[in-house]
Amino acid sequence: MPYSPTIDIYTVPTSLGLPFSHWSTMSRFVVTGHAGFIGFHVARQLLEHGHEVLGVDAITDYYDPSLKRSRLQSLRHFDKLVGEEFELEDADRLLRSITNFEPDVIIHLAAQAGVRYSLEAPFAYIQANLVGTFNLLEAARISKPKHLLLASSSSIYGGNQSLPWSETDRTDSPMSLYAATKKGTEDLAHSYSSLWGIPTTAFRFFTVYGPMGRPDMALYKFVKAAFDGDAIDVYGHGKMRRDFTYIDDLVRAIVALINTPPVKNSPVGTADSLSPVAPYRSVNLGGGVPVELMSFIESVEQATGRTLKKNMLPMQMGDVLETYSETTLLRELIGEIPRTPVTTGVVSFVDWYKSYFHIDSTT
Ligand SMILES: NC(=O)c1ccc[n+]([C@@H]2O[C@H](COP(=O)([O-])OP(=O)(O)OC[C@H]3O[C@@H](n4cnc5c(N)ncnc54)[C@H](O)[C@@H]3O)[C@@H](O)[C@H]2O)c1
């Protein structure tokens, strides 16, 4: 079914030009967090290619739920989407919904996201990320998908000093509760994979950005400040470096990985993080090109045509100086590293932002 844009939403390009071999023969997908930034883009790609999707999202108010509703609104034309609104903590409902749907694949993206908010609202992280993930795993145990894919985070590398971060590095120095719950997500999933033989891939995402992105993240805040004429807070005095990942690149990699479920005792290549006891691996999803924060801000200034006022500040609690993804495993699994340059990705975000908020930047 063709994608029908709505007048209230800027539509990002929907075809990622994926080679046919990357499209799954598996056709029934559960996507948790489908109203969220990444889940929305993943669900849309699957729907675009004719797959059935059961989306589960509680539309939490961590950030303005109207953005989540707008994302869902732009999916409304897909009759192969069944969207359900409830918390993962509702174990009975989650189990019922997933087992009734009989998915081939479960993509678990719903979570309480954000490093900094985990200092303010730790309870939400334990509930959504640990209790919610446990309930999801129980549903997977019963429904037996061919592949379970779930979101972890680059933040689990914590205080690791040796860069780039590789999937085979230790991850036992989390620096925030968010990171600890993502480490817990991986460990819970590994135990279920080992016990019940569920082929499982844990994605370690590196600072994902793009159209329809999250208001709590730096790019959104910078662009908003540029158009509102406000100052931005620049942490780490602008010296922090981030391996930014453009959303289309991320979705392209996720879709390619769907068809690559881990097989016990069958590592691919030399860099595989495959568990010695389970069909389980973790994979970095980052381009391997860290960008300094000040250079990222310059891209925002160029794309918006505005010069930002900057409050230069020290690093915040829980933050790390640099994130940098080792990419060998991803290349070995999917044959490429999708890499949209930050300057291009930021322009796409700004185009979306202007359209979404009806901003005429010439005035
Ligand atoms: N965006 C990034 O840069 C990034 C980086 C690392 C990891 N991640 C992880 O990727 C996943 C998706 O992140 P995102 O950026 O799309 O975040 P998001 O906040 O936009 O999406 C998460 C969705 O989950 C839903 N949700 C939260 N708690 C829930 C619960 N208890 N029950 C049901 N639904 C719930 C929210 O309503 C939201 O729509 C998350 O697991 C996040 O931790 C994201």
PDB file of all heavy atoms in Angstrom, residues 33 35-39 57-60 62-63 68 71 86-89 109-113 128 151-153 178 182 205 207-208 214 217, ligand 1:
ATOM      1  N   GLY A  33       6.955  -0.058  21.361  1.00  0.00           N
ATOM      2  CA  GLY A  33       7.439   1.322  21.245  1.00  0.00           C
ATOM      3  C   GLY A  33       7.230   1.881  19.852  1.00  0.00           C
ATOM      4  O   GLY A  33       8.004   2.741  19.405  1.00  0.00           O
ATOM      5  N   ALA A  35       5.137   3.968  18.787  1.00  0.00           N
ATOM      6  CA  ALA A  35       4.841   5.409  18.759  1.00  0.00           C
ATOM      7  C   ALA A  35       6.091   6.227  19.075  1.00  0.00           C
ATOM      8  O   ALA A  35       6.080   7.451  18.979  1.00  0.00           O
ATOM      9  CB  ALA A  35       3.742   5.745  19.764  1.00  0.00           C
ATOM     10  N   GLY A  36       7.147   5.554  19.457  1.00  0.00           N
ATOM     11  CA  GLY A  36       8.399   6.244  19.776  1.00  0.00           C
ATOM     12  C   GLY A  36       9.175   6.555  18.505  1.00  0.00           C
ATOM     13  O   GLY A  36       8.820   6.135  17.397  1.00  0.00           O
ATOM     14  N   PHE A  37      10.254   7.290  18.689  1.00  0.00           N
ATOM     15  CA  PHE A  37      11.046   7.768  17.540  1.00  0.00           C
ATOM     16  C   PHE A  37      11.530   6.599  16.670  1.00  0.00           C
ATOM     17  O   PHE A  37      11.217   6.513  15.475  1.00  0.00           O
ATOM     18  CB  PHE A  37      12.214   8.598  18.089  1.00  0.00           C
ATOM     19  CG  PHE A  37      13.283   8.946  17.092  1.00  0.00           C
ATOM     20  CD1 PHE A  37      12.960   9.397  15.816  1.00  0.00           C
ATOM     21  CD2 PHE A  37      14.627   8.843  17.446  1.00  0.00           C
ATOM     22  CE1 PHE A  37      13.965   9.727  14.903  1.00  0.00           C
ATOM     23  CE2 PHE A  37      15.625   9.162  16.550  1.00  0.00           C
ATOM     24  CZ  PHE A  37      15.293   9.605  15.277  1.00  0.00           C
ATOM     25  N   ILE A  38      12.271   5.683  17.262  1.00  0.00           N
ATOM     26  CA  ILE A  38      12.861   4.608  16.452  1.00  0.00           C
ATOM     27  C   ILE A  38      11.787   3.590  16.054  1.00  0.00           C
ATOM     28  O   ILE A  38      11.723   3.157  14.897  1.00  0.00           O
ATOM     29  CB  ILE A  38      14.014   3.931  17.225  1.00  0.00           C
ATOM     30  CG1 ILE A  38      15.149   4.947  17.466  1.00  0.00           C
ATOM     31  CG2 ILE A  38      14.547   2.721  16.457  1.00  0.00           C
ATOM     32  CD1 ILE A  38      16.267   4.453  18.379  1.00  0.00           C
ATOM     33  N   GLY A  39      10.919   3.236  16.999  1.00  0.00           N
ATOM     34  CA  GLY A  39       9.887   2.244  16.717  1.00  0.00           C
ATOM     35  C   GLY A  39       8.973   2.669  15.580  1.00  0.00           C
ATOM     36  O   GLY A  39       8.577   1.846  14.738  1.00  0.00           O
ATOM     37  N   ASP A  57       2.468   0.237  22.628  1.00  0.00           N
ATOM     38  CA  ASP A  57       3.103   1.446  23.172  1.00  0.00           C
ATOM     39  C   ASP A  57       2.147   2.070  24.188  1.00  0.00           C
ATOM     40  O   ASP A  57       0.950   2.161  23.933  1.00  0.00           O
ATOM     41  CB  ASP A  57       3.404   2.449  22.047  1.00  0.00           C
ATOM     42  CG  ASP A  57       4.411   3.517  22.472  1.00  0.00           C
ATOM     43  OD1 ASP A  57       4.169   4.211  23.475  1.00  0.00           O
ATOM     44  OD2 ASP A  57       5.447   3.642  21.791  1.00  0.00           O
ATOM     45  N   ALA A  58       2.681   2.509  25.314  1.00  0.00           N
ATOM     46  CA  ALA A  58       1.839   3.114  26.350  1.00  0.00           C
ATOM     47  C   ALA A  58       1.689   4.625  26.160  1.00  0.00           C
ATOM     48  O   ALA A  58       0.994   5.276  26.945  1.00  0.00           O
ATOM     49  CB  ALA A  58       2.433   2.824  27.726  1.00  0.00           C
ATOM     50  N   ILE A  59       2.320   5.193  25.139  1.00  0.00           N
ATOM     51  CA  ILE A  59       2.289   6.660  24.908  1.00  0.00           C
ATOM     52  C   ILE A  59       2.579   7.377  26.236  1.00  0.00           C
ATOM     53  O   ILE A  59       1.768   8.187  26.707  1.00  0.00           O
ATOM     54  CB  ILE A  59       0.939   7.135  24.316  1.00  0.00           C
ATOM     55  CG1 ILE A  59       0.349   6.148  23.346  1.00  0.00           C
ATOM     56  CG2 ILE A  59       1.078   8.529  23.725  1.00  0.00           C
ATOM     57  CD1 ILE A  59       0.915   6.135  21.983  1.00  0.00           C
ATOM     58  N   THR A  60       3.703   7.096  26.819  1.00  0.00           N
ATOM     59  CA  THR A  60       4.039   7.725  28.102  1.00  0.00           C
ATOM     60  C   THR A  60       4.279   9.218  27.906  1.00  0.00           C
ATOM     61  O   THR A  60       4.502   9.692  26.790  1.00  0.00           O
ATOM     62  CB  THR A  60       5.321   7.086  28.700  1.00  0.00           C
ATOM     63  OG1 THR A  60       6.415   7.369  27.831  1.00  0.00           O
ATOM     64  CG2 THR A  60       5.164   5.588  28.880  1.00  0.00           C
ATOM     65  N   TYR A  62       6.814  11.033  29.040  1.00  0.00           N
ATOM     66  CA  TYR A  62       8.216  11.442  29.241  1.00  0.00           C
ATOM     67  C   TYR A  62       8.535  12.679  28.398  1.00  0.00           C
ATOM     68  O   TYR A  62       9.224  13.589  28.825  1.00  0.00           O
ATOM     69  CB  TYR A  62       9.137  10.269  28.903  1.00  0.00           C
ATOM     70  CG  TYR A  62      10.592  10.632  28.758  1.00  0.00           C
ATOM     71  CD1 TYR A  62      11.277  11.305  29.775  1.00  0.00           C
ATOM     72  CD2 TYR A  62      11.295  10.302  27.594  1.00  0.00           C
ATOM     73  CE1 TYR A  62      12.617  11.640  29.631  1.00  0.00           C
ATOM     74  CE2 TYR A  62      12.629  10.627  27.455  1.00  0.00           C
ATOM     75  CZ  TYR A  62      13.287  11.302  28.480  1.00  0.00           C
ATOM     76  OH  TYR A  62      14.612  11.630  28.321  1.00  0.00           O
ATOM     77  N   TYR A  63       8.042  12.673  27.154  1.00  0.00           N
ATOM     78  CA  TYR A  63       8.046  13.916  26.363  1.00  0.00           C
ATOM     79  C   TYR A  63       6.671  14.049  25.732  1.00  0.00           C
ATOM     80  O   TYR A  63       5.860  13.123  25.793  1.00  0.00           O
ATOM     81  CB  TYR A  63       9.180  13.966  25.327  1.00  0.00           C
ATOM     82  CG  TYR A  63       9.194  12.857  24.297  1.00  0.00           C
ATOM     83  CD1 TYR A  63       8.367  12.896  23.170  1.00  0.00           C
ATOM     84  CD2 TYR A  63      10.047  11.767  24.428  1.00  0.00           C
ATOM     85  CE1 TYR A  63       8.391  11.883  22.217  1.00  0.00           C
ATOM     86  CE2 TYR A  63      10.080  10.748  23.491  1.00  0.00           C
ATOM     87  CZ  TYR A  63       9.245  10.816  22.386  1.00  0.00           C
ATOM     88  OH  TYR A  63       9.264   9.818  21.445  1.00  0.00           O
ATOM     89  N   LYS A  68       4.084  11.686  19.659  1.00  0.00           N
ATOM     90  CA  LYS A  68       3.839  10.248  19.483  1.00  0.00           C
ATOM     91  C   LYS A  68       2.521  10.031  18.727  1.00  0.00           C
ATOM     92  O   LYS A  68       2.417   9.184  17.846  1.00  0.00           O
ATOM     93  CB  LYS A  68       3.800   9.548  20.848  1.00  0.00           C
ATOM     94  CG  LYS A  68       5.106   9.683  21.613  1.00  0.00           C
ATOM     95  CD  LYS A  68       5.065   8.981  22.965  1.00  0.00           C
ATOM     96  CE  LYS A  68       6.372   9.256  23.712  1.00  0.00           C
ATOM     97  NZ  LYS A  68       6.468   8.581  24.995  1.00  0.00           N
ATOM     98  N   ARG A  71       3.049  10.712  15.119  1.00  0.00           N
ATOM     99  CA  ARG A  71       3.694   9.581  14.428  1.00  0.00           C
ATOM    100  C   ARG A  71       2.648   8.507  14.109  1.00  0.00           C
ATOM    101  O   ARG A  71       2.603   7.989  12.993  1.00  0.00           O
ATOM    102  CB  ARG A  71       4.800   8.989  15.309  1.00  0.00           C
ATOM    103  CG  ARG A  71       5.976   9.918  15.580  1.00  0.00           C
ATOM    104  CD  ARG A  71       6.992   9.196  16.469  1.00  0.00           C
ATOM    105  NE  ARG A  71       8.091  10.042  16.900  1.00  0.00           N
ATOM    106  CZ  ARG A  71       8.474  10.180  18.173  1.00  0.00           C
ATOM    107  NH1 ARG A  71       7.851   9.528  19.145  1.00  0.00           N
ATOM    108  NH2 ARG A  71       9.487  10.969  18.476  1.00  0.00           N
ATOM    109  N   PHE A  86      -0.953   0.135  25.846  1.00  0.00           N
ATOM    110  CA  PHE A  86      -0.889  -0.291  27.251  1.00  0.00           C
ATOM    111  C   PHE A  86       0.577  -0.421  27.669  1.00  0.00           C
ATOM    112  O   PHE A  86       1.476  -0.455  26.827  1.00  0.00           O
ATOM    113  CB  PHE A  86      -1.648  -1.607  27.488  1.00  0.00           C
ATOM    114  CG  PHE A  86      -1.120  -2.794  26.724  1.00  0.00           C
ATOM    115  CD1 PHE A  86      -0.143  -3.623  27.290  1.00  0.00           C
ATOM    116  CD2 PHE A  86      -1.590  -3.107  25.462  1.00  0.00           C
ATOM    117  CE1 PHE A  86       0.343  -4.726  26.598  1.00  0.00           C
ATOM    118  CE2 PHE A  86      -1.101  -4.214  24.760  1.00  0.00           C
ATOM    119  CZ  PHE A  86      -0.143  -5.016  25.332  1.00  0.00           C
ATOM    120  N   GLU A  87       0.789  -0.518  28.976  1.00  0.00           N
ATOM    121  CA  GLU A  87       2.156  -0.618  29.498  1.00  0.00           C
ATOM    122  C   GLU A  87       2.670  -2.052  29.442  1.00  0.00           C
ATOM    123  O   GLU A  87       1.921  -2.997  29.711  1.00  0.00           O
ATOM    124  CB  GLU A  87       2.194  -0.142  30.956  1.00  0.00           C
ATOM    125  CG  GLU A  87       2.002   1.342  31.108  1.00  0.00           C
ATOM    126  CD  GLU A  87       2.205   1.777  32.552  1.00  0.00           C
ATOM    127  OE1 GLU A  87       2.049   0.942  33.461  1.00  0.00           O
ATOM    128  OE2 GLU A  87       2.518   2.962  32.756  1.00  0.00           O
ATOM    129  N   LEU A  88       3.940  -2.179  29.167  1.00  0.00           N
ATOM    130  CA  LEU A  88       4.569  -3.506  29.182  1.00  0.00           C
ATOM    131  C   LEU A  88       4.454  -4.156  30.561  1.00  0.00           C
ATOM    132  O   LEU A  88       4.549  -5.375  30.689  1.00  0.00           O
ATOM    133  CB  LEU A  88       6.064  -3.386  28.849  1.00  0.00           C
ATOM    134  CG  LEU A  88       6.439  -2.804  27.492  1.00  0.00           C
ATOM    135  CD1 LEU A  88       7.953  -2.651  27.397  1.00  0.00           C
ATOM    136  CD2 LEU A  88       5.930  -3.680  26.362  1.00  0.00           C
ATOM    137  N   GLU A  89       4.277  -3.338  31.575  1.00  0.00           N
ATOM    138  CA  GLU A  89       4.144  -3.870  32.932  1.00  0.00           C
ATOM    139  C   GLU A  89       2.858  -4.684  33.094  1.00  0.00           C
ATOM    140  O   GLU A  89       2.728  -5.442  34.046  1.00  0.00           O
ATOM    141  CB  GLU A  89       4.162  -2.715  33.955  1.00  0.00           C
ATOM    142  CG  GLU A  89       5.512  -2.028  34.075  1.00  0.00           C
ATOM    143  CD  GLU A  89       5.691  -0.853  33.126  1.00  0.00           C
ATOM    144  OE1 GLU A  89       5.306  -0.969  31.931  1.00  0.00           O
ATOM    145  OE2 GLU A  89       6.223   0.174  33.548  1.00  0.00           O
ATOM    146  N   LEU A 109      11.488  -2.249  21.337  1.00  0.00           N
ATOM    147  CA  LEU A 109      12.102  -0.923  21.384  1.00  0.00           C
ATOM    148  C   LEU A 109      11.517  -0.041  22.486  1.00  0.00           C
ATOM    149  O   LEU A 109      12.082   1.005  22.810  1.00  0.00           O
ATOM    150  CB  LEU A 109      11.933  -0.225  20.024  1.00  0.00           C
ATOM    151  CG  LEU A 109      12.559  -0.965  18.834  1.00  0.00           C
ATOM    152  CD1 LEU A 109      12.089  -0.369  17.515  1.00  0.00           C
ATOM    153  CD2 LEU A 109      14.077  -0.931  18.908  1.00  0.00           C
ATOM    154  N   ALA A 110      10.370  -0.431  23.036  1.00  0.00           N
ATOM    155  CA  ALA A 110       9.764   0.390  24.097  1.00  0.00           C
ATOM    156  C   ALA A 110      10.665   0.391  25.313  1.00  0.00           C
ATOM    157  O   ALA A 110      11.200  -0.643  25.710  1.00  0.00           O
ATOM    158  CB  ALA A 110       8.390  -0.158  24.477  1.00  0.00           C
ATOM    159  N   ALA A 111      10.842   1.557  25.890  1.00  0.00           N
ATOM    160  CA  ALA A 111      11.665   1.669  27.095  1.00  0.00           C
ATOM    161  C   ALA A 111      11.520   3.078  27.649  1.00  0.00           C
ATOM    162  O   ALA A 111      11.065   3.989  26.952  1.00  0.00           O
ATOM    163  CB  ALA A 111      13.144   1.409  26.772  1.00  0.00           C
ATOM    164  N   GLN A 112      11.920   3.232  28.891  1.00  0.00           N
ATOM    165  CA  GLN A 112      12.142   4.571  29.412  1.00  0.00           C
ATOM    166  C   GLN A 112      13.556   4.956  28.971  1.00  0.00           C
ATOM    167  O   GLN A 112      14.540   4.398  29.450  1.00  0.00           O
ATOM    168  CB  GLN A 112      12.023   4.598  30.932  1.00  0.00           C
ATOM    169  CG  GLN A 112      12.330   5.956  31.534  1.00  0.00           C
ATOM    170  CD  GLN A 112      11.465   7.077  30.978  1.00  0.00           C
ATOM    171  OE1 GLN A 112      10.243   7.023  31.075  1.00  0.00           O
ATOM    172  NE2 GLN A 112      12.079   8.086  30.349  1.00  0.00           N
ATOM    173  N   ALA A 113      13.627   5.877  28.006  1.00  0.00           N
ATOM    174  CA  ALA A 113      14.913   6.276  27.420  1.00  0.00           C
ATOM    175  C   ALA A 113      15.474   7.496  28.159  1.00  0.00           C
ATOM    176  O   ALA A 113      14.779   8.114  28.974  1.00  0.00           O
ATOM    177  CB  ALA A 113      14.724   6.585  25.941  1.00  0.00           C
ATOM    178  N   ALA A 128       9.842   0.120  33.410  1.00  0.00           N
ATOM    179  CA  ALA A 128       9.715  -0.084  31.955  1.00  0.00           C
ATOM    180  C   ALA A 128      10.816  -1.009  31.429  1.00  0.00           C
ATOM    181  O   ALA A 128      10.555  -1.922  30.643  1.00  0.00           O
ATOM    182  CB  ALA A 128       9.761   1.259  31.227  1.00  0.00           C
ATOM    183  N   ALA A 151      16.379  -3.429  21.993  1.00  0.00           N
ATOM    184  CA  ALA A 151      17.216  -2.225  22.055  1.00  0.00           C
ATOM    185  C   ALA A 151      18.023  -2.183  23.328  1.00  0.00           C
ATOM    186  O   ALA A 151      17.477  -2.172  24.424  1.00  0.00           O
ATOM    187  CB  ALA A 151      16.336  -0.971  21.965  1.00  0.00           C
ATOM    188  N   SER A 152      19.334  -2.171  23.165  1.00  0.00           N
ATOM    189  CA  SER A 152      20.219  -1.800  24.258  1.00  0.00           C
ATOM    190  C   SER A 152      20.810  -0.431  23.889  1.00  0.00           C
ATOM    191  O   SER A 152      20.211   0.296  23.076  1.00  0.00           O
ATOM    192  CB  SER A 152      21.299  -2.869  24.442  1.00  0.00           C
ATOM    193  OG  SER A 152      22.160  -2.535  25.499  1.00  0.00           O
ATOM    194  N   SER A 153      21.951  -0.109  24.436  1.00  0.00           N
ATOM    195  CA  SER A 153      22.463   1.243  24.235  1.00  0.00           C
ATOM    196  C   SER A 153      23.986   1.269  24.325  1.00  0.00           C
ATOM    197  O   SER A 153      24.587   0.486  25.072  1.00  0.00           O
ATOM    198  CB  SER A 153      21.877   2.145  25.329  1.00  0.00           C
ATOM    199  OG  SER A 153      22.601   3.341  25.417  1.00  0.00           O
ATOM    200  N   TYR A 178      20.136   4.413  33.771  1.00  0.00           N
ATOM    201  CA  TYR A 178      19.668   4.022  32.433  1.00  0.00           C
ATOM    202  C   TYR A 178      20.566   2.937  31.858  1.00  0.00           C
ATOM    203  O   TYR A 178      20.100   1.899  31.387  1.00  0.00           O
ATOM    204  CB  TYR A 178      19.651   5.253  31.517  1.00  0.00           C
ATOM    205  CG  TYR A 178      19.399   4.912  30.063  1.00  0.00           C
ATOM    206  CD1 TYR A 178      18.170   4.398  29.654  1.00  0.00           C
ATOM    207  CD2 TYR A 178      20.403   5.087  29.102  1.00  0.00           C
ATOM    208  CE1 TYR A 178      17.946   4.067  28.330  1.00  0.00           C
ATOM    209  CE2 TYR A 178      20.184   4.763  27.777  1.00  0.00           C
ATOM    210  CZ  TYR A 178      18.959   4.256  27.399  1.00  0.00           C
ATOM    211  OH  TYR A 178      18.739   3.918  26.076  1.00  0.00           O
ATOM    212  N   LYS A 182      19.832  -1.052  30.844  1.00  0.00           N
ATOM    213  CA  LYS A 182      20.068  -1.611  29.507  1.00  0.00           C
ATOM    214  C   LYS A 182      20.994  -2.825  29.595  1.00  0.00           C
ATOM    215  O   LYS A 182      20.818  -3.806  28.873  1.00  0.00           O
ATOM    216  CB  LYS A 182      20.644  -0.541  28.576  1.00  0.00           C
ATOM    217  CG  LYS A 182      19.602   0.466  28.126  1.00  0.00           C
ATOM    218  CD  LYS A 182      18.508  -0.217  27.316  1.00  0.00           C
ATOM    219  CE  LYS A 182      17.394   0.708  26.898  1.00  0.00           C
ATOM    220  NZ  LYS A 182      16.316   0.027  26.159  1.00  0.00           N
ATOM    221  N   PHE A 205      22.540   0.942  20.343  1.00  0.00           N
ATOM    222  CA  PHE A 205      22.368   2.144  19.525  1.00  0.00           C
ATOM    223  C   PHE A 205      23.312   3.248  19.991  1.00  0.00           C
ATOM    224  O   PHE A 205      23.510   3.457  21.190  1.00  0.00           O
ATOM    225  CB  PHE A 205      20.941   2.682  19.651  1.00  0.00           C
ATOM    226  CG  PHE A 205      19.865   1.773  19.119  1.00  0.00           C
ATOM    227  CD1 PHE A 205      18.585   1.811  19.668  1.00  0.00           C
ATOM    228  CD2 PHE A 205      20.089   0.898  18.067  1.00  0.00           C
ATOM    229  CE1 PHE A 205      17.568   1.003  19.187  1.00  0.00           C
ATOM    230  CE2 PHE A 205      19.076   0.083  17.580  1.00  0.00           C
ATOM    231  CZ  PHE A 205      17.812   0.132  18.143  1.00  0.00           C
ATOM    232  N   THR A 207      23.532   7.265  19.803  1.00  0.00           N
ATOM    233  CA  THR A 207      22.913   8.594  19.588  1.00  0.00           C
ATOM    234  C   THR A 207      22.192   8.713  18.230  1.00  0.00           C
ATOM    235  O   THR A 207      22.733   9.265  17.267  1.00  0.00           O
ATOM    236  CB  THR A 207      23.953   9.730  19.727  1.00  0.00           C
ATOM    237  OG1 THR A 207      24.794   9.469  20.850  1.00  0.00           O
ATOM    238  CG2 THR A 207      23.253  11.066  19.930  1.00  0.00           C
ATOM    239  N   VAL A 208      20.974   8.244  18.218  1.00  0.00           N
ATOM    240  CA  VAL A 208      20.198   8.219  16.972  1.00  0.00           C
ATOM    241  C   VAL A 208      19.465   9.557  16.812  1.00  0.00           C
ATOM    242  O   VAL A 208      18.921  10.088  17.778  1.00  0.00           O
ATOM    243  CB  VAL A 208      19.186   7.055  17.001  1.00  0.00           C
ATOM    244  CG1 VAL A 208      18.533   6.887  15.638  1.00  0.00           C
ATOM    245  CG2 VAL A 208      19.873   5.753  17.436  1.00  0.00           C
ATOM    246  N   ARG A 214      13.394  12.842  19.108  1.00  0.00           N
ATOM    247  CA  ARG A 214      12.931  13.092  20.480  1.00  0.00           C
ATOM    248  C   ARG A 214      13.249  14.505  20.965  1.00  0.00           C
ATOM    249  O   ARG A 214      14.390  14.961  20.838  1.00  0.00           O
ATOM    250  CB  ARG A 214      13.594  12.085  21.424  1.00  0.00           C
ATOM    251  CG  ARG A 214      12.911  10.766  21.416  1.00  0.00           C
ATOM    252  CD  ARG A 214      13.595   9.691  22.217  1.00  0.00           C
ATOM    253  NE  ARG A 214      14.449  10.124  23.292  1.00  0.00           N
ATOM    254  CZ  ARG A 214      15.511   9.414  23.717  1.00  0.00           C
ATOM    255  NH1 ARG A 214      15.813   8.260  23.156  1.00  0.00           N
ATOM    256  NH2 ARG A 214      16.236   9.850  24.706  1.00  0.00           N
ATOM    257  N   MET A 217      16.373  15.215  23.210  1.00  0.00           N
ATOM    258  CA  MET A 217      17.732  15.012  22.705  1.00  0.00           C
ATOM    259  C   MET A 217      18.315  16.323  22.166  1.00  0.00           C
ATOM    260  O   MET A 217      17.594  17.258  21.818  1.00  0.00           O
ATOM    261  CB  MET A 217      17.752  13.903  21.654  1.00  0.00           C
ATOM    262  CG  MET A 217      17.424  12.554  22.313  1.00  0.00           C
ATOM    263  SD  MET A 217      17.623  11.132  21.238  1.00  0.00           S
ATOM    264  CE  MET A 217      19.398  10.996  21.124  1.00  0.00           C
TER     265      MET A 217
HETATM  266  N1  LIG B   1      17.360   7.368  20.404  1.00  0.00           N
HETATM  267  C1  LIG B   1      18.580   6.995  20.793  1.00  0.00           C
HETATM  268  O1  LIG B   1      19.575   7.670  20.508  1.00  0.00           O
HETATM  269  C2  LIG B   1      18.784   5.715  21.573  1.00  0.00           C
HETATM  270  C3  LIG B   1      20.106   5.386  21.950  1.00  0.00           C
HETATM  271  C4  LIG B   1      20.309   4.200  22.655  1.00  0.00           C
HETATM  272  C5  LIG B   1      19.237   3.368  22.941  1.00  0.00           C
HETATM  273  N2  LIG B   1      17.977   3.720  22.579  1.00  0.00           N
HETATM  274  C6  LIG B   1      16.885   2.807  22.908  1.00  0.00           C
HETATM  275  O2  LIG B   1      16.109   2.611  21.743  1.00  0.00           O
HETATM  276  C7  LIG B   1      14.737   2.407  22.074  1.00  0.00           C
HETATM  277  C8  LIG B   1      13.861   3.392  21.344  1.00  0.00           C
HETATM  278  O3  LIG B   1      14.264   4.715  21.730  1.00  0.00           O
HETATM  279  P1  LIG B   1      13.562   6.009  21.147  1.00  0.00           P
HETATM  280  O4  LIG B   1      14.628   7.025  20.920  1.00  0.00           O
HETATM  281  O5  LIG B   1      12.650   5.654  20.036  1.00  0.00           O
HETATM  282  O6  LIG B   1      12.719   6.469  22.427  1.00  0.00           O
HETATM  283  P2  LIG B   1      11.187   6.946  22.550  1.00  0.00           P
HETATM  284  O7  LIG B   1      11.047   7.420  23.946  1.00  0.00           O
HETATM  285  O8  LIG B   1      10.859   7.882  21.449  1.00  0.00           O
HETATM  286  O9  LIG B   1      10.373   5.600  22.326  1.00  0.00           O
HETATM  287  C9  LIG B   1      10.099   4.689  23.354  1.00  0.00           C
HETATM  288  C10 LIG B   1       8.620   4.368  23.328  1.00  0.00           C
HETATM  289  O10 LIG B   1       8.359   3.430  24.364  1.00  0.00           O
HETATM  290  C11 LIG B   1       7.141   3.763  24.988  1.00  0.00           C
HETATM  291  N3  LIG B   1       7.183   3.272  26.360  1.00  0.00           N
HETATM  292  C12 LIG B   1       7.970   3.713  27.378  1.00  0.00           C
HETATM  293  N4  LIG B   1       7.738   3.015  28.490  1.00  0.00           N
HETATM  294  C13 LIG B   1       6.788   2.103  28.178  1.00  0.00           C
HETATM  295  C14 LIG B   1       6.145   1.067  28.898  1.00  0.00           C
HETATM  296  N5  LIG B   1       6.416   0.860  30.191  1.00  0.00           N
HETATM  297  N6  LIG B   1       5.221   0.296  28.261  1.00  0.00           N
HETATM  298  C15 LIG B   1       4.930   0.515  26.948  1.00  0.00           C
HETATM  299  N7  LIG B   1       5.502   1.484  26.216  1.00  0.00           N
HETATM  300  C16 LIG B   1       6.434   2.267  26.825  1.00  0.00           C
HETATM  301  C17 LIG B   1       7.069   5.272  24.948  1.00  0.00           C
HETATM  302  O11 LIG B   1       5.718   5.745  24.997  1.00  0.00           O
HETATM  303  C18 LIG B   1       7.746   5.589  23.613  1.00  0.00           C
HETATM  304  O12 LIG B   1       6.801   5.782  22.576  1.00  0.00           O
HETATM  305  C19 LIG B   1      14.680   2.511  23.598  1.00  0.00           C
HETATM  306  O13 LIG B   1      14.793   1.207  24.136  1.00  0.00           O
HETATM  307  C20 LIG B   1      15.914   3.320  23.945  1.00  0.00           C
HETATM  308  O14 LIG B   1      16.346   3.069  25.267  1.00  0.00           O
HETATM  309  C21 LIG B   1      17.729   4.878  21.897  1.00  0.00           C
END
